[in-house]
């Protein structure tokens, strides 16, 4: 069994065909947990509206996402790719955001 913490990631390809985005549905980009962390080659880290990105992208296949996955691994991510985030993933993000907001308030 792997006890190492892994970063759940969803790879998506923009509908215009230009670029791949990595969505981290469990990692909050704000203290409310509304937005998840994301990463692209250009622009790198940023907050993303998960559902908004899903509506404007299609699933990326392994060939599409290999370069971005390698870049993320090089900068320290331990990736666990999934095809679609569940309600559990989104709730984990909101819970972590609430925790971070409490720490920030101290």
């Amino acid at each position: 069994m792997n006890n190492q913490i892994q970063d759940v990631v969803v790879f998506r390809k923009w509908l215009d065909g230009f670029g791949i985005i990595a969505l981290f549905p469990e990692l909050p980009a704000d203290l409310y947990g509304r937005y998840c962390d994301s990463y692209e080659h250009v622009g790198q880290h940023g907050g993303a509206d998960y559902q908004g990105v899903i509506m404007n992208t299609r699933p990326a296949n392994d060939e599409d996402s290999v370069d971005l996955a390698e870049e993320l691994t090089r900068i320290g991510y331990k990736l666990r790719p999934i095809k679609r985030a569940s309600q559990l993933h989104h709730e984990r993000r909101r819970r972590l955001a609430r925790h971070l907001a409490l720490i920030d308030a101290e």
Side-chain angles (χ1 to χ4, degrees), residues 12-21 23 40 49-59:
R12 302 287 295 190
K13 184 172 189 169
W14 292 106
L15 293 178
D16 62 11
F18 294 106
I20 306 298
I21 185 169
L23 297 169
E40 294 182 83
D49 173 1
Y50 183 87
Q51 294 304 327
V53 172
I54 295 299
M55 290 173 35
N56 290 288
T57 58
R58 65 174 176 78

Side-chain angles (χ1 to χ4, degrees), residues 14-98:
W14 292 106
L15 293 178
D16 62 11
F18 294 106
I20 306 298
I21 185 169
L23 297 169
F24 296 93
E26 294 185 342
L27 300 179
D30 63 287
L31 292 179
Y32 301 101
R34 177 175 178 183
Y35 301 105
C36 68
D37 198 15
S38 68
Y39 191 92
E40 294 182 83
H41 286 301
V42 177
Q44 300 182 328
H45 284 103
D49 173 1
Y50 183 87
Q51 294 304 327
V53 172
I54 295 299
M55 290 173 35
N56 290 288
T57 58
R58 65 174 176 78
N61 62 36
D62 291 343
E63 185 178 318
D64 292 333
S65 60
V66 67
D67 289 339
L68 189 56
E70 288 174 357
E71 182 176 339
L72 289 165
T73 300
R74 274 194 310 274
I75 63 174
Y77 284 89
K78 309 292 186 233
L79 301 177
R80 184 167 63 93
I82 61 172
K83 295 296 181 190
R84 180 177 302 172
S86 70
Q87 230 12 69
L88 179 62
H89 296 110
H90 296 298
E91 181 50 40
R92 285 180 181 157
R93 178 181 72 246
R94 289 187 288 270
R95 189 176 334 126
L96 179 55
R98 287 190 301 269

